[in-house]
């Protein structure tokens, strides 16, 4: 699934709507690197990042982050001799 085209060194949070460069800077300073980090934030830190956004915009961000897929991948090598 392609959510949004972006450079590999861009903040993952750029996939969330309405976040300004300043909000991304505040998030980085708080150690937030991924959308999963954002979801697990303390309410005070999240409020600092979302400061200045309207309630509707905050609701948009919550809706998008809640729909963000969580994918886990695991693998095991069963027979190394075949490699």
């Amino acid at each position: 699934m392609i959510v949004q085209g972006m450079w590999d060194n861009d903040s993952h949070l750029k996939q969330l709507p309405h976040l300004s460069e300043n909000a991304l800077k505040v998030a980085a300073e708080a150690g937030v690197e991924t959308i999963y980090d954002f979801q697990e934030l303390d309410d005070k830190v999240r409020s600092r990042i979302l400061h200045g956004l309207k309630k509707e915009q905050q609701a948009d961000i919550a809706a998008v982050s809640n729909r963000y897929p969580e994918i886990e991948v695991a693998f095991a090598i069963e027979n190394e001799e075949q490699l």
Side-chain angles (χ1 to χ4, degrees):
M1 178 174 104
I2 297 176
V3 177
Q4 177 176 342
M6 51 189 267
W7 296 106
D8 61 349
N9 59 345
D10 283 344
S11 170
H12 293 236
L13 298 179
K14 282 189 170 185
Q15 296 180 55
L16 298 175
H18 312 298
L19 289 184
S20 65
E21 288 299 321
N22 186 54
L24 295 173
K25 181 181 174 186
V26 172
E29 290 169 355
V32 179
E33 296 180 0
T34 67
I35 294 178
Y36 305 116
D37 294 341
F38 183 79
Q39 291 171 335
E40 296 175 9
L41 277 177
D42 178 69
D43 289 339
K44 288 182 181 181
V45 177
R46 186 179 296 111
S47 293
R48 237 183 25 230
I49 294 170
L50 301 179
H51 178 74
L53 293 178
K54 297 176 183 175
K55 294 291 183 192
E56 296 85 14
Q57 292 173 316
Q58 292 181 21
D60 288 345
I61 292 170
V64 171
S65 68
N66 289 335
R67 286 193 321 253
Y68 199 77
E70 184 171 341
I71 301 171
E72 292 185 32
V73 177
F75 66 93
I77 298 175
E78 292 182 14
N79 187 349
E80 290 186 35
E81 293 176 8
Q82 292 180 350
L83 298 175

